[in-house]
Amino acid sequence: MKLRKIALGLLAVVHARSVRGQRALAESELRYRALFETSGVPTLLLDTGARQVLDLNAPARALANLTSWSAPVDVEAMAPDWLRRALGRALE
């Protein structure tokens, strides 16, 4: 019986830590998203291995003349030409 109580206590501690970790991760993601979206600096999130653009903030979408965005997009499919060339060089 005592072993059972100890096991349940440990399980409760593990669960509490897991919940705290999930909450901290969610808060971190919200902070990242807020910084990414509100930054005045054109910012692109790239998958260098797949050579894809995963996300762009509003200033980057304006540079690319995009009114809407659906990710991911291959770097080679990006427009305008100067942006595609710049991203290609950055990934080399």
Side-chain angles (χ1 to χ4, degrees), residues 38-92:
T38 60
S39 174
V41 176
T43 306
L44 296 90
L45 180 61
L46 302 173
D47 180 337
T48 57
R51 298 182 60 84
Q52 293 180 327
V53 180
L54 301 177
D55 204 357
L56 298 100
N57 67 355
R61 286 191 301 271
L63 279 177
N65 297 320
L66 294 170
T67 55
S68 64
W69 173 250
S70 179
V73 171
D74 289 337
V75 166
E76 290 76 22
M78 289 296 292
D81 287 337
W82 68 266
L83 179 57
R84 180 175 48 252
R85 288 191 310 270
L87 289 172
R89 281 192 300 265
L91 292 173
E92 289 176 359

